[in-house]
Amino acid sequence: MKNDKVRKFKTLKSEIEYQGRAFSVRQDTLELPDGRKTVYDIIDHPGAVTIIPVDDAGNIYFIRQFRPATGEILLELPAGTLEKDEDPQECAAREIQEETGMAARKFIRLGALWLAPGYSSEYLHFYLATDLYESPLQADDDEYISVEKLAYKQAVDMAKAGEIRDGKSLAGLLLLDGWLPN
Amino acid sequence: MKNDKVRKFKTLKSEIEYQGRAFSVRQDTLELPDGRKTVYDIIDHPGAVTIIPVDDAGNIYFIRQFRPATGEILLELPAGTLEKDEDPQECAAREIQEETGMAARKFIRLGALWLAPGYSSEYLHFYLATDLYESPLQADDDEYISVEKLAYKQAVDMAKAGEIRDGKSLAGLLLLDGWLPN
């Protein structure tokens, strides 16, 4: 327990180096506790939400979609990026409709985490969404997705088998543990 | 189950837009299934490993460190970025020594996942590391970290309470389920 070693670094300089569509890259110059300087590249991300929609039978809605950054079609929990100053639960309510065609009467906040703290400022909020009803909302133009429903145990088994292999989905399943009847 | 909607997009162009230290940013121009074009910013990442070191008593080694991208001191499973062409298990063997001061006689691969598939090509491998013994390796210069040991249930409870809030650590705890005696 060498906790005296752990402390925050002082930011000496912070500059935007690249402005992308979904994020920007900034470069921070930091002063280490021993006085040396170091430089970090950081993805400046507005934050996001992951939704865990669960129907009355206890099944979880997942979506399947192509992910250009991975070159693969992945099975994931629905999620979306926060718009500027957007309330995370409002974002969850919008994204569940866009991605699954369902709306939820009830949202329960399960927590939040840093998705990739080594280089991204993305803070990701998790909501359990229940009391679902059909209410499709036009999805973003480029979303070619399908919906698949899985029981909790089935989803966990698929995660352990590598059939669900997306960071937020595994984290969401851990946070969901204990929330569903049996 | 509208699986016919889900297909890969064709890459028309791919260009490096920013070259950072730990990653680069590339911009891909893609053709959607309906013929329209769209542009994605993608973090080009070499991949990484997360290690779950477990001692003979069943306790898991976590590390506490400042994360400039988040502005917070976080409690996380040990992890590290792959060097070029590096075997993931060799990376795990190196990082566990650098970050915890322990080496492992046994590594068990628990799986792999895309950490942030919305915008990053980071593919993250998970290893359970057991049969530990003391064998410190000089850490990277800028790593000011402390080691903390937690029982599995304690770690899961802390994750649910938001005291561990790092994507890979929650995913790792899900993958670890069933591997430890009780």
Side-chain angles (χ1 to χ4, degrees):
Chain A
M1 303 289 165
K2 299 161 289 182
N3 256 328
D4 54 315
K5 287 173 60 183
V6 182
R7 64 190 76 170
K8 296 187 177 184
F9 305 163
K10 188 176 162 189
T11 304
L12 302 175
K13 199 169 67 172
S14 186
E15 287 177 340
I16 299 293
E17 297 285 337
Y18 177 73
Q19 183 62 58
R21 297 189 169 204
F23 59 80
S24 55
V25 180
R26 69 174 211 259
Q27 194 171 73
D28 283 8
T29 304
L30 303 170
E31 185 178 273
L32 301 184
D34 63 11
R36 282 174 305 139
K37 291 176 188 172
T38 185
V39 173
Y40 276 82
D41 291 305
I42 294 169
I43 305 300
D44 239 336
H45 190 282
V49 299
T50 295
I51 310 108
I52 311 180
V54 176
D55 70 15
D56 293 345
N59 292 311
I60 306 165
Y61 283 70
F62 282 81
I63 61 169
R64 195 179 287 278
Q65 63 184 330
F66 176 63
R67 288 299 212 166
T70 73
E72 293 188 356
I73 291 168
L74 297 181
L75 191 61
E76 305 170 48
L77 288 170
T81 302
L82 290 174
E83 291 175 2
K84 188 170 157 47
D85 299 325
E86 188 176 30
D87 175 77
Q89 186 172 322
E90 282 175 23
C91 180
R94 175 169 48 81
E95 290 288 346
I96 185 179
Q97 284 182 275
E98 287 186 0
E99 298 201 333
T100 70
M102 305 297 285
R105 290 194 180 83
K106 191 173 175 186
F107 288 92
I108 298 169
R109 185 183 164 80
L110 297 185
L113 54 76
W114 301 97
L115 185 58
Y119 56 91
S120 173
S121 71
E122 180 174 359
Y123 195 61
L124 183 59
H125 305 262
F126 286 79
Y127 288 93
L128 168 59
T130 62
D131 297 7
L132 307 179
Y133 60 97
E134 281 191 32
S135 177
L137 199 66
Q138 182 61 49
D140 294 349
D141 275 357
D142 55 353
E143 289 187 308
Y144 290 83
I145 65 180
S146 74
V147 175
E148 298 181 26
K149 291 201 273 184
L150 302 172
Y152 181 73
K153 187 181 178 312
Q154 186 182 10
V156 171
D157 287 347
M158 287 175 73
K160 290 180 179 176
E163 292 158 29
I164 298 173
R165 45 183 182 157
D166 154 51
K168 68 181 173 305
S169 298
L170 269 68
L173 289 171
L174 187 85
L175 291 174
L176 187 59
D177 174 46
W179 280 94
L180 302 186
N182 127 11
Chain B
M1 304 291 165
K2 301 162 288 182
N3 256 328
D4 54 315
K5 286 172 61 183
V6 183
R7 63 191 76 174
K8 296 188 178 184
F9 304 164
K10 187 176 161 188
T11 304
L12 302 175
K13 200 169 67 170
S14 186
E15 287 176 341
I16 299 293
E17 297 285 338
Y18 176 73
Q19 184 63 57
R21 296 189 170 204
F23 59 81
S24 55
V25 180
R26 69 174 210 259
Q27 194 171 72
D28 283 8
T29 304
L30 303 169
E31 185 178 274
L32 300 185
D34 62 13
R36 282 174 304 139
K37 292 176 189 173
T38 185
V39 173
Y40 277 82
D41 291 305
I42 294 169
I43 305 300
D44 239 336
H45 190 282
V49 298
T50 295
I51 310 108
I52 311 178
V54 177
D55 70 14
D56 294 344
N59 292 311
I60 305 165
Y61 283 70
F62 283 80
I63 61 170
R64 195 179 287 277
Q65 62 185 330
F66 176 62
R67 290 298 214 167
T70 73
E72 293 190 356
I73 291 168
L74 297 181
L75 191 60
E76 305 170 50
L77 288 170
T81 301
L82 290 174
E83 292 175 3
K84 187 170 157 49
D85 298 326
E86 188 177 30
D87 175 76
Q89 186 172 321
E90 282 174 23
C91 179
R94 175 169 47 81
E95 291 288 345
I96 186 180
Q97 284 181 275
E98 286 185 0
E99 298 200 334
T100 70
M102 305 298 284
R105 290 193 179 84
K106 191 172 176 186
F107 288 92
I108 297 169
R109 184 183 165 80
L110 296 186
L113 55 74
W114 300 97
L115 185 59
Y119 56 90
S120 173
S121 71
E122 180 174 359
Y123 195 60
L124 182 60
H125 306 262
F126 287 79
Y127 288 92
L128 169 59
T130 62
D131 297 7
L132 307 179
Y133 59 97
E134 280 190 32
S135 176
L137 199 65
Q138 183 60 50
D140 295 348
D141 274 357
D142 55 353
E143 291 186 308
Y144 289 83
I145 65 180
S146 73
V147 175
E148 297 181 26
K149 291 201 273 185
L150 301 172
Y152 180 73
K153 187 182 179 310
Q154 187 182 9
V156 170
D157 287 347
M158 287 175 72
K160 290 180 180 176
E163 292 159 29
I164 297 174
R165 46 183 181 158
D166 154 53
K168 69 181 173 305
S169 298
L170 270 67
L173 288 172
L174 188 85
L175 291 174
L176 188 60
D177 174 47
W179 280 95
L180 302 186
N182 199 10

